[in-house]
């Protein structure tokens, strides 16, 4: 059977460190409020001035992942780029990254699943690989949030949460009957909650010109969030999702999972989740304290860190899961392994 294995990972965050105290100089907020409500201590944002898009951060992360996989860009036969903050409205950041990697015809697919972008991306890559459509896939999650945030008191509930960053994984087809690689994926969406977390303009549905001066004045080009609803959805659905995907993967106990990487939207969400399922300390990895919420980059960024720290070894089983705008939610179970490529 064809299975999907991770061959290399890489992460990249821009150098500009923004602390909670830095934000409190721009809006009415405080280090204490941000830490207590979200767990976030700092985040990294792209430099002011210049042009750094999601594909630029993605490029840096991709170079590291490719090097660790021992691959050249030419070895790729598919690119999947997950972002809610594309460099430009169109074409997709995957096409921009493909060119920056020096490639000329490798297909590139953008996906727009926000905080579940990596999870949808891994499920998509796995489906392409298992169907024989691709053998070597580069999956990138990358976000430049900072240029789209309302960094004033009006936008403080959202602005303090998000950080910029990117991470990439190299995925390869292997032929094996061992239970390794992506063991299961489960994806969901509920569009009725779309307005609970959205960036409404500029948009094609707004006539005559996608955005008006009034909308700009009202700040409708910034993301708006019903934080309480998203919080509630996350703390109820993530535990349910865990049991659902374990069943799909044929796992009967949480003891069979060595590592859980939940999306990093709010440390309190992850603490509720941990308490609900009585997950032992040390099994869940959180790094929101350092990066804030980096949306599609979050899970691969954490994955790259745990591999680097030796906390996710060959033979270990990991659960990736998250919920975000859409709303979308989903999970993957992945067993790390060393299996030789089948070509
Ligand atoms: N600094 C200081 N005060 C702030 C603030 C900030 N950055 N943001 C909001 N406040 C204020 C509010 O104005 C409100 O003031 P009021 O009581 O005078 O009206 C008060 O703090 C409480 O706001 P509230 O929105 O009720 O706080 P909360 O406990 O729900 O926390 C979030 C807000 C955003 C941290 C929380 O709702 C959350 O994390 N939600 C989920 C986010 C998420 O998962 N998103 C999906 C992925 S992107």
């Amino acid at each position: 059977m064809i299975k999907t294995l991770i061959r290399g990972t890489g992460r990249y965050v821009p150098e500009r460190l923004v602390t909670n105290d830095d934000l409190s100089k721009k809006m009415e907020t405080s280090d204490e409020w941000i830490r207590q409500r979200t767990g976030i201590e700092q985040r990294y944002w792209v430099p002011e001035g210049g042009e750094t898009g999601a594909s630029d951060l993605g490029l840096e992360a991709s170079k590291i992942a490719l090097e660790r996989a021992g691959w050249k860009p030419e070895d790729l036969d598919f690119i999947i780029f997950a972002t809610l903050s594309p460099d430009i409205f169109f074409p997709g950041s995957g096409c921009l990254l493909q060119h920056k990697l020096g490639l000329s015809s490798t297909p590139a697919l953008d996906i727009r699943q926000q905080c579940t972008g990596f999870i949808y991306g891994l499920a998509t890559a796995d489906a392409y690989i298992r169907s024989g459509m691709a053998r070597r896939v580069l999956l990138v999650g990358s976000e430049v949030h900072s240029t789209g945030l309302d960094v004033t008191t009006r936008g403080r509930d959202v602005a303090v949460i998000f950080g910029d960053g990117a991470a990439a994984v190299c995925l390869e087809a292997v032929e094996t009957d061992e239970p390794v690689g992506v063991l299961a994926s489960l994806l969901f969406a509920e569009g009725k909650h779309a307005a609970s977390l959205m960036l409404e303009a500029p948009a094609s549905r707004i006539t005559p010109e996608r955005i008006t001066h009034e909308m700009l004045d009202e700040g409708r080009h910034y993301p708006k969030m019903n934080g309480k609803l998203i919080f509630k959805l996350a703390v109820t659905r993530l535990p349910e999702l865990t049991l659902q995907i374990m069943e799909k993967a044929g796992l009967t106990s949480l003891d069979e999972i060595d590592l859980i990487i939940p999306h990093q939207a709010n440390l309190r969400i992850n603490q509720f989740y941990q308490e609900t399922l009585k997950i032992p300390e040390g099994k869940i990895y959180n790094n929101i304290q350092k990066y804030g919420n980096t949306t599609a980059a979050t899970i691969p960024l954490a994955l790259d860190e745990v591999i680097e720290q030796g906390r996710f070894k060959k033979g270990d089983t990991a659960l990736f899961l998250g919920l975000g705008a859409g709303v979308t939610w989903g999970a993957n179970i992945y067993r790390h392994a060393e299996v030789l490529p089948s070509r």
Side-chain angles (χ1 to χ4, degrees), residues 29 33 37 115 156-157 162 197 227-228 230 265-266 269 293:
T29 190
W33 192 97
R37 302 281 180 134
C115 295
R156 64 183 177 175
D157 59 326
F162 290 101
L197 179 47
K228 281 200 189 315
I230 301 289
N266 186 320
I269 292 177
N293 180 353

Side-chain angles (χ1 to χ4, degrees), residues 46-337:
V46 295
E48 282 175 304
E51 285 188 12
T52 308
S55 70
D56 298 301
L57 301 187
L59 175 65
E60 298 308 320
S62 299
K63 284 189 209 161
I64 299 167
L66 285 165
E67 196 193 323
R68 289 189 180 150
W71 296 357
K72 295 189 285 300
E74 298 72 37
D75 294 327
L76 297 171
D77 48 28
F78 205 70
I79 295 169
I80 301 179
F81 200 107
T83 187
L84 68 64
S85 51
D87 301 57
I88 48 178
F89 205 95
F90 76 87
S93 294
C95 291
L96 306 186
L97 174 67
Q98 186 247 36
H99 176 62
K100 287 172 185 170
L101 284 169
L103 298 170
S104 53
S105 61
T106 311
L109 173 74
D110 270 38
I111 59 168
R112 301 277 304 272
Q113 267 56 40
Q114 298 67 248
C115 295
T116 40
F118 179 79
I119 289 161
Y120 267 73
L122 186 55
T124 305
D126 182 45
Y128 268 82
I129 285 174
R130 283 187 296 109
S131 70
M133 292 264 293
R135 299 198 67 80
R136 285 184 164 181
V137 179
L138 176 69
L139 170 60
V140 181
S142 180
E143 305 289 354
V144 176
H145 285 300
S146 56
T147 51
L149 297 173
D150 182 0
V151 191
T152 68
T153 299
R154 179 178 66 179
R156 64 183 177 175
D157 59 326
V158 174
V160 300
I161 293 177
F162 290 101
D164 300 340
V169 297
C170 293
L171 300 161
E172 186 168 38
V174 296
E175 190 73 46
T176 176
D177 290 329
E178 294 295 312
V180 295
V182 179
L183 301 186
S185 294
L186 212 45
L187 307 176
F188 297 97
E190 193 177 18
K192 83 170 184 196
H193 294 303
S196 304
L197 179 47
M198 74 167 175
L199 199 162
E200 74 169 303
S204 55
R205 66 184 180 182
I206 298 164
T207 52
E209 289 187 325
R210 300 196 169 181
I211 191 158
T212 62
H213 290 287
E214 291 74 27
M215 292 179 90
L216 280 169
D217 292 342
E218 289 162 15
R220 288 164 66 185
H221 57 303
Y222 294 123
K224 292 282 175 305
M225 175 170 72
N226 178 346
K228 281 200 189 315
L229 176 72
I230 301 289
F231 195 104
K232 212 172 102 192
L233 291 173
V235 295
T236 50
R237 291 193 182 166
L238 296 180
E240 290 167 12
L241 174 65
T242 302
L243 303 179
Q244 288 169 317
I245 190 152
M246 280 172 55
E247 192 182 341
K248 188 169 180 193
L251 306 184
T252 50
S253 157
L254 275 169
D255 293 342
E256 294 172 78
I257 295 174
D258 301 287
L259 174 74
I260 299 177
I261 302 182
H263 177 59
Q264 306 285 304
N266 186 320
L267 192 59
R268 285 167 55 224
I269 292 177
N270 294 352
Q271 287 163 345
F272 268 102
Y273 166 74
Q274 182 172 359
E275 282 160 24
T276 307
L277 291 181
K278 305 200 178 0
I279 297 165
E281 205 58 53
K283 193 173 275 203
I284 292 201
Y285 187 73
N286 289 307
N287 62 7
I288 189 170
Q289 301 91 330
K290 280 194 290 182
Y291 301 112
N293 180 353
T294 56
T295 306
T298 295
I299 290 176
L301 204 154
L303 176 63
D304 185 54
E305 286 192 333
V306 290
I307 291 175
E308 200 171 82
Q309 293 165 14
R311 286 179 63 174
F312 187 47
K313 299 179 287 299
K314 301 282 153 69
D316 284 353
T317 302
L319 166 65
F320 311 135
L321 78 168
L323 177 141
V327 291
T328 55
W329 67 107
N332 322 100
I333 290 186
Y334 178 80
R335 186 165 295 149
H336 215 19

